[in-house]
């Protein structure tokens, strides 16, 4: 009954609109290359590319001889979605497929791993089948944690979720439960248990040489939900006994306290992981010889270290990654440090460089390089002759279209704190007297970076100035900047966002009366919550897949194991009422445009339906567009083009832009 009621109140716009503008089609298109992988011998690449508006397909390119494309497999995008493909041998690939299905009550996601030859033959499902007497469905398809075992590239270590079966009247039902690890032959599908399943296990880390060295276990509370601790266990090299390593504790605000291992170096016999150093996340290594010696590897006083640089079949750790004004890599490997310096000279217009993949001997590297205005190009680098070859552009449809440059900026918040962000101006503009948009990022525990972003690039192409603030509550700037989190500390986060709009006006960038706010996910929440602090600042609001009620968001996790954590993260108290835009619809005087996919599992579609209904009841102007069969990212080129065009038309009408 509730579902029918909300369906009736959805207020979904069905009005026909004209064909999208050329800019909307170009910038709304999905990337023409979604993912690339290099074969172990370095002679072939597998490419995942769009097939129609929603689907994807895999093709193989021969780097030696005939460069013709060989189709391998295809997904429709509804409901099957191709996530990735990676080589396990020189002739065989492992691909991940993701599904969202409606089970009669809610949208349910599940994944599967499949193996297929590089010519498209011998497709087999690697994920173990669940018995017909299983007590529940298996939603987790498994994860490959080691791509080469005992020198046999055809065998991998992958996790498996064991589901117990009904054993009444049966002598063959299995009663194992939990996450374990199997050695799986990707050709014959023969499998052998390597790690017995454990109900508390949530992840395993291999050393890249076939031995599982670390297990992450999360005990559950009395209600069956995950608690706030993750216990890490390890085993010494060449042994089977699990020993306690460290415990990471999560605060109610979502911060982790303690060392969190993420990779193992077998040669050094250490675990790499993250811990806090002087208020910022830093990279450490911890000895796995029983001494528990922890040593700082790399830290910055001004920003968090948030990623590893890894290379090769063993995922060897060769560096660390962080973002200041722009993304940078600190390379530990001397050869790769010299290589990185050489790349800066070879492609000076593309300063953002990352290693995507490598051959088994690491003599051939697959690279990506891009910039703020360039979506990037994939390159092949051969160390023997130091030759760099351009392979594929990430967005071929934008090759002939002018893109905007992005400038790091900072502006003062009301309390004097300087808020970092990025300003994108229309190409050729003097940056004055423009229609302007504040575009807060999602998360809230995320941040914007100096890189190509199709959303602000589209608006800049249509003549808008776009400010992307990294408000307090964003990640990457240390624990102090994080505050309590963007929901509990919503007044600070939304205040910073609003101050960004005021800065645009004071600088003369925003023309009088032509300031709007646009956001996706938490950014959509910020857009809708901004009028609660200042109802007259923004003249138009566009929100995509927004959070609109904190209590609804909290209850969306009730059927998931992390509910206890989400419950504490959002919390209870006055901030839930005060910080939920759906409960303050009357305070929103600016016209609102909402978009949401009906299979969104990050933020349930009910949130936009409730928001649209409340705005309508309050007599406010609202248009709500709901897309069938799409989730949080709206990964459909035609839908994104239509969404961009609708948003642009809406803003031009409300802001009276000629």
């Amino acid at each position: 009954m509730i579902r029918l009621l909300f369906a009736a109140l959805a207020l979904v716009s069905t009005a026909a609109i004209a064909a999208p503008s050329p800019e909307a089609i170009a910038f709304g298109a999905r990337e023409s290359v979604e993912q690339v992988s290099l074969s172990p011998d370095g002679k072939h690449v597998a490419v995942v590319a769009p097939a129609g508006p929603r689907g994807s397909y895999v093709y193989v390119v021969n780097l030696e001889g005939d460069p013709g494309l060989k189709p391998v497999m295809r997904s429709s995008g509804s409901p099957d979605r191709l996530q990735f493909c990676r080589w396990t041998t020189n002739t065989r690939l492992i691909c991940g497929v993701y599904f969202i299905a409606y089970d009669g009550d809610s949208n349910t996601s599940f994944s599967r791993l499949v193996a297929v030859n590089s010519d498209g033959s011998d497709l087999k499902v690697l994920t173990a089948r669940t018995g017909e007497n299983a007590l529940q469905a298996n939603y987790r398809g498994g994860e490959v944690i080691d791509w080469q075992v005992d020198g046999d590239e055809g065998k991998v270590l992958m996790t498996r979720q064991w589901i117990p079966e009904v054993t009444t009247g049966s002598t063959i039902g299995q009663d194992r439960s939990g996450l374990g690890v199997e050695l799986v032959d990707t050709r014959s599908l023969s499998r052998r248990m390597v790690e017995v399943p454990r109900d508390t296990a949530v992840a395993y880390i291999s050393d890249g040489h076939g031995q599982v060295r670390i297990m992450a276990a999360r005990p559950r509370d009395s209600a069956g939900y995950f608690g706030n601790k993750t216990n890490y266990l390890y085993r010494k090299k060449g042994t089977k006994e699990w020993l306690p390593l460290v415990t990471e504790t999560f605060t109610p605000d979502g911060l982790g306290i303690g060392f969190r291992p993420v990779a193992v170096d077998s040669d050094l016999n250490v675990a790499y992981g993250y811990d806090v150093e002087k208020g910022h996340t830093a990279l450490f290594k911890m000895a796995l010889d029983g001494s528990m010696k922890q040593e700082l590897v790399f830290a910055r006083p001004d920003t968090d270290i948030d990623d590893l640089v890894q290379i090769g079949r063993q995922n060897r750790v060769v560096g660390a990654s962080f973002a200041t004004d722009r993304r940078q890599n600190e390379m530990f490997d001397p050869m790769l440090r010299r290589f990185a310096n050489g790349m800066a000279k070879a492609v000076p217009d593309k300063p953002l460089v990352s290693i995507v993949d490598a051959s088994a001997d690491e003599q051939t590297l697959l690279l990506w390089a891009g910039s703020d205005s360039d979506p990037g190009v994939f390159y092949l680098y051969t160390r023997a002759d130091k030759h760099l070859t351009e392979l594929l552009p990430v967005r071929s449809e934008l090759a002939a279209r002018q893109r905007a440059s992005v400038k790091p900026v900072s502006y003062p918040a009301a309390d004097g704190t300087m808020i970092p962000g990025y300003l994108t101006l229309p190409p050729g503009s003097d940056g004055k007297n423009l229609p302007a948009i504040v575009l807060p990022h999602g998360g809230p525990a995320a941040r914007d970076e100096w890189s190509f972003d199709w959303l602000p690039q589209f608006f800049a192409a249509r003549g808008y100035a776009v400010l992307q603030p990294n408000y307090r509550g964003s990640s990457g700037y240390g624990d102090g900047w994080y505050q309590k989190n963007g929901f509990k500390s919503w007044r600070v986060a939304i205040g910073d966002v609003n101050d960004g709009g005021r800065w645009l006006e004071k600088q003369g960038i925003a023309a009088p009366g032509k300031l709007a706010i646009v956001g996706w996910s938490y950014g959509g929440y910020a857009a809708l919550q901004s009028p609660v602090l200042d109802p007259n600042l923004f003249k138009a609001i566009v929100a995509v897949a927004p959070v609109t009620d904190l209590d609804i968001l909290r209850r969306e996790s009730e059927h998931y194991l992390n509910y206890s954590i989400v419950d504490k993260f959002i919390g209870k108290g006055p901030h839930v009422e005060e910080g939920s835009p759906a409960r303050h619809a009357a305070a929103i005087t600016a016209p609102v445009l909402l978009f949401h996919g009906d299979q969104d599992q990050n933020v349930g579609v009910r949130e936009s339906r409730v928001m649209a209904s409340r705005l309508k009841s309050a007599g406010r102007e609202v248009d709500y567009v709901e897309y069938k069969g799409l989730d949080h990212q709206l990964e459909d080129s035609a839908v994104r083009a239509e969404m961009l065009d609708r948003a642009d038309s809406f803003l031009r009408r409300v802001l009276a832009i000629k």
Side-chain angles (χ1 to χ4, degrees):
M1 178 63 71
I2 293 177
R3 183 175 297 279
L4 292 175
L5 174 62
F6 280 111
L9 294 175
L11 308 172
V12 179
S13 173
T14 58
I17 63 172
S21 67
E23 291 90 352
I25 294 172
F27 287 99
R30 293 156 58 207
E31 294 178 345
S32 51
V33 176
E34 298 175 332
Q35 188 241 336
V36 181
S37 176
L38 182 66
S39 62
D41 60 9
K43 296 180 179 179
H44 296 82
V45 292
V47 182
V48 180
R54 298 188 185 186
S56 299
Y57 74 105
V58 185
Y59 64 85
V60 171
V61 180
N62 183 3
L63 299 176
E64 297 182 353
D66 179 15
L69 307 183
K70 296 181 180 179
V72 176
M73 63 181 293
R74 176 171 176 157
S75 67
S76 67
S78 182
D80 54 309
R81 305 162 194 211
L82 196 56
Q83 291 183 296
F84 72 90
C85 280
R86 183 174 175 182
W87 299 87
T88 179
T89 74
N90 289 322
T91 58
R92 197 152 177 80
L93 294 154
I94 292 178
C95 302
V97 185
Y98 174 73
F99 304 81
I100 295 181
Y102 182 70
D103 63 5
D105 179 53
S106 61
N107 294 314
T108 301
S109 64
F110 58 99
S111 62
R112 293 293 182 264
L113 294 183
V114 300
V116 61
N117 286 339
S118 56
D119 63 0
S121 64
D122 197 24
L123 176 67
K124 293 179 178 177
V125 179
L126 291 183
T127 302
R129 285 191 173 187
T130 304
E132 61 181 18
N133 294 322
L135 294 175
Q136 65 185 60
N138 181 15
Y139 300 108
R140 301 172 64 176
E143 176 189 2
V144 176
I145 62 172
D146 205 321
W147 289 85
Q148 181 177 328
V149 182
D150 298 330
D152 188 341
E153 292 181 331
K155 294 180 180 179
V156 298
L157 289 182
M158 60 180 286
T159 59
R160 173 182 173 180
Q161 186 72 35
W162 267 267
I163 308 296
E165 300 175 357
V166 175
T167 57
T168 304
S170 172
T171 59
I172 60 173
Q174 76 93 14
D175 59 359
R176 295 188 180 97
S177 176
L179 189 69
V181 178
E182 289 185 316
L183 174 65
V184 180
D185 190 311
T186 64
R187 300 150 300 193
S188 67
L189 293 190
S190 66
R191 51 203 326 124
R192 174 172 62 84
M193 185 186 298
V194 174
E195 298 295 334
V196 297
R198 295 169 171 81
D199 280 325
T200 57
V202 293
Y204 295 88
I205 302 175
S206 169
D207 64 357
H209 295 274
Q211 185 181 16
V212 181
R213 297 292 304 277
I214 293 178
M215 174 174 62
R218 300 193 73 173
R220 302 188 188 185
D221 59 23
S222 58
Y225 297 116
F226 285 141
N228 69 332
K229 297 180 183 296
T230 300
N231 299 320
Y232 292 97
L233 297 94
Y234 82 105
R235 53 167 55 112
K236 296 179 180 179
K237 186 180 292 188
T239 69
K240 289 294 185 181
E241 181 186 6
W242 284 112
L243 302 169
L245 184 65
V246 290
T247 295
E248 182 184 22
T249 303
F250 295 94
T251 70
D253 301 325
L255 289 173
I257 300 175
F259 179 76
R260 173 169 56 91
V262 292
V264 170
D265 187 307
S266 178
D267 294 335
L268 297 178
N269 198 26
V270 300
Y272 285 99
Y274 301 111
D275 206 339
V276 175
E277 173 74 8
K278 298 180 180 179
H280 286 86
T281 301
L283 180 65
F284 289 81
K285 60 184 178 183
M286 180 175 287
L288 298 180
D289 58 4
S291 68
M292 308 298 184
K293 180 182 178 182
Q294 184 170 326
E295 181 182 343
L296 177 65
V297 176
F298 184 66
R300 294 270 306 193
D302 54 345
T303 190
D304 293 342
I305 310 304
D306 56 15
D307 202 4
L308 296 178
V309 181
Q310 296 175 272
I311 188 175
R313 305 288 285 173
Q314 284 77 40
N315 288 326
R316 183 168 65 94
V317 175
V318 295
S321 184
F322 59 94
T324 52
D325 283 346
R326 63 180 62 179
R327 175 66 49 177
Q328 301 177 59
N329 296 324
E330 176 71 16
M331 306 302 290
F332 310 145
D333 184 288
M335 185 283 293
L336 291 174
R337 186 182 302 117
R338 291 192 297 271
F339 162 75
N341 293 334
M343 277 293 293
K345 298 176 182 177
V347 285
D349 60 329
K350 298 179 179 65
L352 303 177
V353 178
S354 61
I355 301 174
V356 177
D357 206 349
S359 58
D361 60 8
E362 300 183 10
Q363 294 302 302
T364 303
L365 304 181
L366 183 62
L367 312 167
W368 170 88
S371 72
D372 58 335
S373 60
D374 191 331
V377 174
F378 289 103
Y379 294 91
L380 195 72
Y381 177 75
T382 50
R383 291 174 58 183
D385 57 7
K386 298 182 179 180
H387 187 65
L388 188 68
T389 304
E390 182 174 328
L391 289 181
L392 298 161
V394 174
R395 286 182 176 267
S396 56
E397 68 283 346
L398 294 179
R401 190 169 293 279
Q402 189 177 16
R403 281 96 62 186
S405 60
V406 181
K407 178 184 178 182
V409 296
S410 61
Y411 62 88
D415 63 1
T417 302
M418 296 303 294
I419 309 300
Y422 298 92
L423 179 65
T424 306
L425 298 174
S429 167
D430 64 0
K432 298 296 181 181
N433 205 38
L434 298 167
I437 293 170
V438 175
L439 182 64
H441 62 73
R447 60 158 291 172
D448 278 317
E449 295 187 21
W450 186 87
S451 61
F452 180 87
D453 188 332
W454 60 274
L455 198 55
Q457 284 287 336
F458 164 75
F459 285 117
R462 296 296 292 163
Y464 301 86
V466 183
L467 175 67
Q468 296 171 270
N470 282 325
Y471 48 82
R472 280 171 286 185
S474 303
S475 61
Y477 294 90
D479 293 352
W481 195 264
Y482 181 83
Q483 300 282 293
K484 289 184 177 180
N485 73 49
F487 291 121
K488 290 180 180 176
S489 301
W490 71 266
R491 289 184 181 275
V492 175
I494 305 305
D496 290 349
V497 170
N498 286 0
D499 287 336
R502 297 186 186 98
W503 178 78
L504 288 172
E505 291 181 329
K506 290 178 182 177
Q507 296 296 311
I509 299 170
K514 299 191 185 313
L515 181 63
I517 185 167
V518 178
W520 199 314
S521 194
Y522 182 90
Y525 164 82
L528 293 166
Q529 187 68 4
S530 62
V532 176
L533 294 184
D534 189 339
N536 300 313
L537 179 62
F538 297 109
K539 308 307 179 185
I541 298 170
V542 178
V544 185
V547 172
T548 68
D549 189 291
L550 299 188
D551 193 55
I552 292 177
L553 180 67
R554 181 180 62 81
R555 287 186 281 118
E556 285 175 2
S557 297
E558 284 180 334
H559 300 297
Y560 297 92
L561 291 174
N562 67 342
Y563 171 67
S564 180
I565 297 170
V566 174
D567 179 50
K568 293 182 177 64
F569 179 81
I570 295 174
K572 299 180 178 67
H575 74 277
V576 173
E577 168 68 30
E578 297 165 357
S580 296
R583 305 188 190 191
H584 301 279
I588 301 175
T589 57
V592 175
L593 175 60
L594 299 169
F595 299 97
H596 219 124
D598 70 349
Q599 290 189 349
D600 194 331
Q601 293 190 291
N602 295 66
V603 180
V605 68
R606 181 188 174 197
E607 303 234 18
S608 281
R609 292 174 178 174
V610 167
M611 191 76 226
S613 176
R614 300 270 177 86
L615 287 168
K616 187 71 173 179
S617 297
R620 304 310 188 205
E621 181 183 338
V622 56
D623 189 10
Y624 172 39
V625 184
E626 187 172 298
Y627 293 113
K628 185 175 178 59
L630 290 176
D631 60 12
H632 194 65
Q633 304 303 328
L634 299 180
E635 292 190 24
D636 181 310
S637 295
V639 163
R640 285 185 174 181
E642 180 190 271
M643 179 189 71
L644 292 177
D645 208 62
R646 280 182 180 264
D648 181 38
S649 298
F650 168 79
L651 293 175
R652 288 181 180 279
R653 175 181 63 82
V654 175
L655 301 180
I657 301 172
K658 296 181 180 179

